[in-house]
Every structure is written in structure tokens, then in C-alpha cells.
Amino acid sequence: MSNLASMTGFARDSGSLPDGSSFVWELRSVNGRGLDVRLRLPPGLDMLEAPLREAVGKRLKRGNLNATLTLKREDRAPRLTPDPVALEAAIALVLEVSARLPGAMVPTAEAVLSLPGVLRAEVSEPDEAAEEARRKTLAASFAVALDGLVAARAREGAQLSKILETLLGEIAALRDAAAVEAAGQPAAQRARLLENLANLLGEGDVRARVPEERLAQEVAMLAQRSDVREELDRLSAHITEARSLLASGAAIGRKMEFLTQEFVREANTLCSKSASVALTRVGLELKAAIERLREQAANVE
């Protein structure tokens, strides 16, 4: 069974972190000439980029991959703590004002704490152990999503393999049809040559007026220029090679793309050498089938 993989796929994984925030990984891959990894990470998680790229490189060979991490933090009111310097200054000011206003009520503690700058948001010291655990959780989730992406690409690759096999069968059948049509070209060329000579020379037996040896030479020259046996042989070889690649699976995309270019070259030459409408028609159908093969092969990893 072929292990063919496509370059397109999608996967996601989600979870939560110890601080109560939730996260979602989304991985999307599409066709690409090489492997291009684009990571979209929230601020503060740059240390994850290098190991994640390394993990992708071990699993994928080709394709444009977009990996996005979305974090949703739980909204919490910040914890407030008094600023010692600001608090002392506020108390001193309140006492001074109270002393200068006999009979005035002494402000309450709540009033003092509500003065601007007295309270500030408490800033916790960074916990490296907690940060490391956070990064490990996110990296493990990324690995799960990457497994899902590889599986999705493999499922699509299995379908792609069937399509390519069908197209190769169609190309093989058209190649055989072209061989049948090409076999009759020398006789058709001889008949066409005699007809053209008759039109040029007028009435009378052409064979009596043109030596048979000369006719044979002309037919041989025409047959040589329209001989497509070499192209047909190469098409057969390409079909065999393509089927061998499909059977091997793995990352064969670049080889398949190169091989389809060879298919196109042989089909073009066959059409240019065609000396009959029937062979040209088969050649055009062959080119159309090869183009479909080329389009599908562009999806192979």
C-alpha cells in the first residue's frame, strides 16, 4: 500500500494552562515547492519557535505550514498593594491639613488609600519553573496537532494515489491507441504521396511515370520524419517509473513533478510528428490527460 502524502491538511488541539488560561493550536498546510513554516505565537513565547520548527522538519518534507497559537487569559482584577513612600506622604499631608483646620474630621483610612498613587497593582516576580511548565504544555499540544496534520495529509494522500493511478491507466491506454494509429502512418503517407503526385502530373499512371525506387525513397523520408516509436517507448518508460514511484510512497513530489514534465515533452513531440488526423486527436487527448496528472502531482509531498 502506498504511503503517499498530500501537502494539504488541517488539524487543531486545545487545552488549558495552570494559570486558568485556555489555548488553541491551529495548523494548516498547503502546496509549496519546499517546506515553509510560519509560526504565529503570542508575545513572550519566542523560546518555543526553534523547537517547534525542528519538530515540523522531522515530520514534513514539503508544503507551506501556518501554525497559530491563540491564548485566552482569564480576566482577573489586579491585586493592589500600598506604595510605602506614597502612603507616608499621603498620611503626612492629611495630618497637616487636619491640623490647619480645627474641628475638621480626620480622613478615614479608606479616604487615604483612595488618593492617587497610594495603591498600585502588585507585580509578581516571574516564576521560571511555572513558565517552563507552561512552555512544555504548549509544546506537547503542538505535537498532538502535528500528529493530526500528518494523519490528515496521509488520508488525502491515499485518495490522491488512487487518482494518480487512474490517470496513469488512462495515459497508458492512450499511448497504446497512439501506437496503433502510428503503425498505419507509412501506408497513409504513401497513399497521400501518390494522390498528390497524381494531382500534379495529371492523367496517367503515376507509377509508370515515377520510378518505384524514387517513390520508396520519398515514403521512407516521410516515415522517418513522422516516426514516433521513440516517443512511445519513452512514454511507456515514464508510465512504469511513475507507477514505481507511487508504489514506493514517501516524499516523491519533486520526482513526480519532474516526470510529468517529461510526459509533456514526449506528448508534444508526438503531436508535432503526427501525419494523420487520428493520431493528432489521440495525441491531444494524451496531452489533456497528462495535464490532469501534472495538476494532481503538484499536491504530492
Side-chain angles (χ1 to χ4, degrees):
M1 182 178 179
S2 174
N3 295 320
L4 200 68
S6 169
M7 283 190 283
T8 60
F10 171 79
R12 74 192 302 272
D13 190 61
S14 59
S16 58
L17 296 170
D19 62 2
S21 59
S22 60
F23 65 87
V24 176
W25 277 110
E26 288 191 345
L27 277 59
R28 291 180 173 84
S29 67
V30 295
N31 297 355
R33 295 188 64 84
L35 180 60
D36 182 16
V37 181
R38 299 179 183 179
L39 295 171
R40 293 180 173 85
L41 304 175
L45 291 172
D46 296 340
M47 291 180 66
L48 277 175
E49 184 164 349
L52 296 187
R53 287 184 179 277
E54 183 180 358
V56 172
K58 291 179 179 179
R59 303 295 302 278
L60 306 179
K61 302 303 179 186
R62 297 178 69 203
N64 294 329
L65 172 65
N66 286 295
T68 302
L69 173 61
T70 303
L71 280 179
K72 185 178 180 181
R73 291 183 172 84
E74 183 179 345
D75 293 332
R76 294 179 180 178
R79 184 177 178 179
L80 301 177
T81 184
D83 184 315
V85 176
L87 179 60
E88 289 298 328
I91 292 173
L93 178 62
V94 166
L95 293 176
E96 180 184 348
V97 172
S98 297
R100 295 177 63 181
L101 297 173
M105 295 181 61
V106 177
T108 63
E110 289 81 358
V112 174
L113 292 175
S114 66
L115 293 174
V118 174
L119 292 178
R120 64 183 180 184
E122 185 177 23
V123 179
S124 59
E125 293 295 325
D127 186 341
E128 184 55 35
E131 286 298 312
E132 179 64 21
R134 182 168 175 253
R135 288 193 292 267
K136 286 184 177 179
T137 299
L138 293 172
S141 177
F142 179 85
V144 173
L146 184 57
D147 286 341
L149 180 67
V150 170
R153 286 164 56 121
R155 287 192 298 271
E156 185 167 334
Q159 297 300 317
L160 187 57
S161 180
K162 295 177 182 178
I163 294 172
L164 293 174
E165 283 284 4
T166 299
L167 288 170
L168 285 172
E170 182 180 343
I171 290 170
L174 288 168
R175 181 266 169 212
D176 292 343
V180 172
E181 295 296 340
Q185 282 202 134
Q189 288 172 322
R190 179 182 176 84
R192 190 178 303 113
L193 177 61
L194 291 172
E195 182 181 352
N196 291 337
L197 287 174
N199 292 332
L200 289 172
L201 299 175
E203 297 180 358
D205 187 359
V206 172
R207 293 183 181 84
R209 304 171 64 181
V210 179
E212 184 66 28
E213 182 180 351
R214 180 59 178 165
L215 286 175
Q217 289 176 349
E218 290 296 327
V219 171
M221 291 174 60
L222 290 171
Q224 185 177 7
R225 286 197 294 267
S226 60
D227 186 3
V228 295
R229 286 176 297 179
E230 188 175 341
E231 286 71 29
L232 294 173
D233 288 344
R234 281 199 288 262
L235 280 172
S236 294
H238 296 338
I239 293 169
T240 300
E241 177 63 18
R243 285 173 169 164
S244 177
L245 284 175
L246 287 181
S248 68
I252 62 169
R254 288 188 179 278
K255 293 180 180 179
M256 282 295 294
E257 286 185 14
F258 174 77
L259 197 54
T260 55
Q261 294 174 11
E262 297 300 309
F263 270 105
V264 170
R265 184 176 293 109
E266 303 306 334
N268 285 337
T269 305
L270 185 146
C271 286
S272 67
K273 286 185 174 183
S274 173
S276 70
V277 174
L279 182 57
T280 299
R281 176 179 52 79
V282 174
L284 292 175
E285 292 179 7
L286 183 62
K287 289 175 66 172
I290 290 171
E291 178 60 22
R292 293 195 296 273
L293 178 73
R294 186 192 66 78
E295 291 174 353
Q296 294 296 333
N299 297 315
V300 179
E301 183 181 23

